[in-house]
Amino acid sequence: MTSDARRALVVRGGWEGHEPVKITELFLPFLREHGYDLRISDSLDVYGDAELLAATDLVVQCWTMGEITREQSAGLVAAVRAGTGLAGWHGGIVDSFRGDVGYHLLTGGQFLMHPHGFSDHTVTLAGKHADHPVIAGLTDFRVHTEKYWMVTDPLIDVLATTEFEADADRSRPVTMPAVWTRSWGAGRVFVSAIGHKPDDFDVPEVRALTERGLLWASR
């Protein structure tokens, strides 16, 4: 690998139900093909290594739930603010470190619940962002997976949404962000709520927007 290769750090762990190893492995060949020198960590201690993060162009995180120390969280936030990109999907990025508000501010959203089981539902792309590199040329698509209910930051750029119908708990339908990007200082953050199971990425649009999101977020 040449010395000017871009560097990606894949941080994976937490709850095994989201298969962090199996799913992140889906994207390692793609990153290598796009010139990234990869480092993989099964420990959050890397977020405390300021020198390593400063030399990292992209952090791909797949770490559901778990605990992060104040120093680790501050290290990740500072690195993104300085220009390191952060990207992830589903619970690996928006159901992480539930007690850390600084982390939630960084990602721009936090998972609260999902209806029981998997459902067939439509992911609707945001027309006003149709030319965004993450979704350009794609169309609305269907998935059979979990649908996330989240709280989100009004400063995110929502690229795709899902619909929650009115029910016993919700008096009216709600349009929920499903894919978004945001800037954080000099860094970029990409989030997709889709990706509970490996075959979610068999949907061509899911695979495409996730891969594009990784590249978009990178320094």
Side-chain angles (χ1 to χ4, degrees):
M1 188 67 65
T2 61
S3 60
D4 60 350
R6 290 185 291 180
R7 297 177 180 176
L9 171 65
V10 179
V11 183
R12 60 193 190 187
W15 183 59
E16 287 297 327
H18 282 157
E19 301 186 70
V21 172
K22 186 172 183 178
I23 294 183
T24 53
E25 290 287 331
L26 296 176
F27 295 96
L28 301 188
F30 172 82
L31 290 170
R32 292 190 180 101
E33 288 167 7
H34 282 77
Y36 285 87
D37 185 2
L38 299 182
R39 173 168 177 164
I40 298 171
S41 176
D42 60 0
S43 170
L44 298 174
D45 288 343
V46 290
Y47 288 161
D49 188 335
E51 183 177 355
L52 170 65
L53 292 181
T56 297
D57 299 297
L58 174 66
V59 174
V60 180
Q61 180 183 286
C62 189
W63 196 292
T64 303
M65 297 184 278
E67 301 289 334
I68 193 170
T69 68
R70 181 178 301 178
E71 292 75 20
Q72 290 165 348
S73 177
L76 176 62
V77 171
V80 176
R81 186 176 293 280
T84 298
L86 174 65
W89 51 84
H90 201 61
I93 194 165
V94 289
D95 189 14
S96 312
F97 324 132
R98 293 176 178 175
D100 194 290
V101 175
Y103 174 80
H104 303 159
L105 288 171
L106 171 64
T107 60
Q110 171 66 18
F111 162 80
L112 293 183
M113 60 79 68
H114 62 76
H116 177 71
F118 303 147
S119 66
D120 291 307
H121 56 275
T122 298
V123 179
T124 304
L125 304 186
K128 70 176 183 178
H129 294 303
D131 60 349
H132 193 287
V134 171
I135 60 170
L138 302 180
T139 58
D140 301 348
F141 56 93
R142 300 277 292 174
V143 292
H144 179 76
T145 191
E146 289 180 341
K147 184 163 56 172
Y148 265 15
W149 182 282
M150 291 178 289
V151 291
T152 55
D153 188 323
L155 290 177
I156 62 175
D157 292 318
V158 178
L159 304 184
T161 60
T162 57
E163 298 296 320
F164 281 79
E165 298 76 18
D167 61 16
D169 297 318
R170 290 172 284 274
S171 62
R172 61 181 184 272
V174 172
T175 299
M176 185 65 60
V179 179
W180 68 81
T181 57
R182 75 168 312 158
S183 297
W184 191 258
R188 291 175 164 185
V189 179
F190 164 79
V191 173
S192 171
I194 309 163
H196 174 85
K197 47 192 172 56
D199 67 7
D200 287 352
F201 299 98
D202 291 342
V203 178
E205 294 88 350
V206 176
R207 185 63 178 249
L209 70 83
T210 305
E211 290 178 341
R212 293 179 186 184
L214 301 181
L215 299 182
W216 180 88
S218 183
R219 192 197 318 265

